């Protein structure tokens, strides 16, 4: 109730009163009080789904109304946490603005769980994200855009992650620059070590953005776990994408995700099609 009130800019009492009024209209309860906490009923979940669909249709209707001539208007919100696609984002934005200069693009970088929650609530039109386990979500659809593998940077040397794992005692006590907990890369890093019975590094610098990460790693003389697309000198890593598959490197499939049960606005559809029409090549080719 407090979170809803904060988002709506009203009092908690106003939210509670509105819920009671909805219950009176429906003739059934939205919540049951169990153990001192409010638990949503099955009807509440059904009402929420219906409201999200209605909200999406109203947004789409508004875009249809304000559509003027051949120029799309409105705002398209893109959430992203996909390092391999960061370099393509400027080109996609430029393509959209050349075609529809009055269309506003809002690009929001954030934590994975937050972005997925925002997409499900229809506050984002699409996500550029690691597609790991996205397809198991009942409301999400996704399309892969590129595949890349992760490597370890040791000062001016680029190392295969598989080689580092084979010689783990040499590296475990070094300082590591890693993505923060909650990012897909970090989850896979920790899981892979645990699956092999290897100890996690204890000397860690955590970052949630690629901005200045390389400088932090250099200053701390640390090892960095990064996508191959972020290498400053990729030619120093003599391995192709096919070689990486053969060596069982850790891969990530980056792509675009959206709500499968919600109609895209005309503006969002145009941006979506522009992204798919300009898919990046494989993240690293030697």
């Amino acid at each position: 109730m407090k979170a809803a009130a904060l988002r709506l800019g009203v009092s908690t009492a106003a939210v509670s009163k509105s819920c009671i009024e909805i219950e009176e209209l429906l003739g059934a309860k939205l919540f049951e009080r169990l153990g001192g906490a409010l638990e949503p009923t099955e009807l509440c979940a059904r009402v929420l789904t219906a409201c999200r669909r209605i909200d999406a249709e109203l947004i789409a209707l508004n875009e249809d109304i304000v559509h003027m001539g051949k120029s799309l208007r409105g705002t398209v919100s893109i959430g992203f946490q996909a390092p391999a696609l960061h370099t393509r984002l400027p080109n996609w934005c430029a393509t959209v603005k050349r075609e529809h200069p009055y269309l506003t693009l809002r690009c929001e970088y954030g934590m994975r769980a937050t972005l997925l929650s925002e997409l499900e609530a229809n506050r984002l039109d699409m996500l550029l994200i690691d597609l790991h386990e996205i397809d198991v979500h009942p409301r999400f659809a996704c399309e892969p855009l590129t595949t890349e593998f992760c490597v370890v940077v040791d000062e001016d040397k680029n190392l295969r992650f598989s080689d580092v794992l084979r010689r783990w005692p040499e590296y475990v006590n070094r300082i590591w620059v890693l993505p923060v907990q909650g990012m897909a890369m970090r989850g896979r890093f920790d899981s892979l070590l645990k699956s092999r019975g290897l100890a996690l590094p204890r000397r860690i610098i955590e970052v949630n953005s690629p901005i200045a990460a390389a400088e932090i790693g250099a200053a701390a003389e640390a090892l960095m776990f990064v996508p191959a697309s972020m290498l400053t000198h990729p030619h120093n890593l003599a391995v192709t994408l096919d070689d990486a598959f053969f060596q069982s490197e850790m891969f990530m499939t980056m792509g675009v995700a959206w709500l499968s049960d919600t109609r895209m606005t005309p503006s969002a559809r145009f941006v979506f099609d522009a992204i798919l029409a300009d898919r990046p090549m494989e993240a690293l080719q030697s």
Side-chain angles (χ1 to χ4, degrees):
M1 292 293 180
K2 290 180 180 178
L6 182 63
R7 182 178 293 277
L8 294 171
V10 299
S11 68
T12 304
V15 175
S16 179
K17 181 175 181 292
S18 296
C19 288
I20 293 172
E21 291 174 350
I22 294 172
E23 288 179 332
E24 290 176 349
L25 287 171
L26 296 174
K29 290 186 177 181
L30 295 176
F31 301 95
E32 296 285 356
R33 185 170 291 280
L34 301 173
L38 290 178
E39 293 288 339
T41 63
E42 185 177 348
L43 174 64
C44 181
R46 180 64 186 85
V47 169
L48 183 60
T49 298
C51 289
R52 284 172 172 164
R53 290 174 178 168
I54 293 169
D55 183 54
E57 284 297 320
L58 290 174
I59 293 172
L61 174 62
N62 183 63
E63 284 234 1
D64 292 339
I65 293 173
V66 301
H67 186 286
M68 299 175 62
K70 294 183 179 180
S71 181
L72 292 171
R73 306 288 177 117
T75 299
V76 177
S77 298
I78 307 170
F80 66 100
Q81 191 198 80
L85 301 176
H86 288 180
T87 57
R88 303 301 303 169
L89 190 59
N91 188 56
W92 292 333
C93 290
T95 298
V96 171
K97 297 303 287 185
R98 280 195 297 268
E99 291 287 330
H100 300 287
Y102 299 105
L103 176 60
T104 299
L105 293 175
R106 184 169 68 89
C107 302
E108 180 178 332
Y109 185 87
M111 297 300 292
R112 181 180 180 86
T114 301
L115 292 175
L116 292 173
S117 176
E118 291 290 288
L119 178 63
E120 187 167 20
N122 201 37
R123 287 188 284 269
L124 292 172
D125 293 291
M126 64 196 75
L127 293 181
L128 299 174
I129 200 167
D130 183 339
L131 298 182
H132 181 59
E133 295 185 342
I134 292 292
D135 57 349
V136 302
H137 194 287
R139 298 190 63 216
F140 294 164
C142 60
E143 182 72 23
L145 297 175
T146 190
T147 299
E148 71 170 351
F149 58 97
C150 298
V151 300
V152 176
V153 178
D154 185 5
E155 297 182 358
D156 59 345
K157 300 189 296 294
N158 300 323
L159 309 172
R160 299 185 188 191
F161 190 43
S162 58
D163 291 339
V164 171
L165 291 177
R166 281 192 288 270
R167 297 158 52 194
W168 190 240
E170 298 177 31
Y171 298 104
V172 64
N173 293 319
R174 293 276 302 276
I175 299 174
W176 282 79
V177 175
L178 296 173
V180 298
Q181 295 283 354
M183 297 184 74
M185 276 185 61
R186 178 61 181 277
R188 295 193 186 190
F189 178 88
D190 290 355
S191 295
L192 188 56
L193 289 175
K194 289 178 180 178
S195 69
R196 298 191 177 199
L198 300 175
L200 296 172
R202 291 185 295 176
R203 305 172 66 194
I204 295 173
I205 300 171
E206 295 182 323
V207 296
N208 75 337
S209 168
I211 299 173
E215 289 78 3
I216 293 172
E221 298 181 349
L223 298 169
M224 293 185 60
F225 183 62
V226 299
S229 61
M230 290 179 59
L231 294 179
T232 305
H233 303 289
H235 58 275
N236 291 345
L237 186 68
V239 56
T240 65
L241 203 59
D242 288 340
D243 291 335
F245 272 114
F246 182 74
Q247 294 290 335
S248 299
E249 302 294 341
M250 195 189 83
F251 279 87
M252 297 189 301
T253 298
M254 304 292 184
V256 58
W258 67 96
L259 287 176
S260 59
D261 59 0
T262 301
R263 181 166 70 98
M264 282 189 184
T265 66
S267 298
R269 171 57 63 178
F270 177 81
V271 174
F272 177 81
D273 290 341
I275 290 173
L276 293 188
D278 185 33
R279 298 176 188 233
M281 299 296 289
E282 283 79 5
L284 181 66
Q285 291 285 358
S286 299

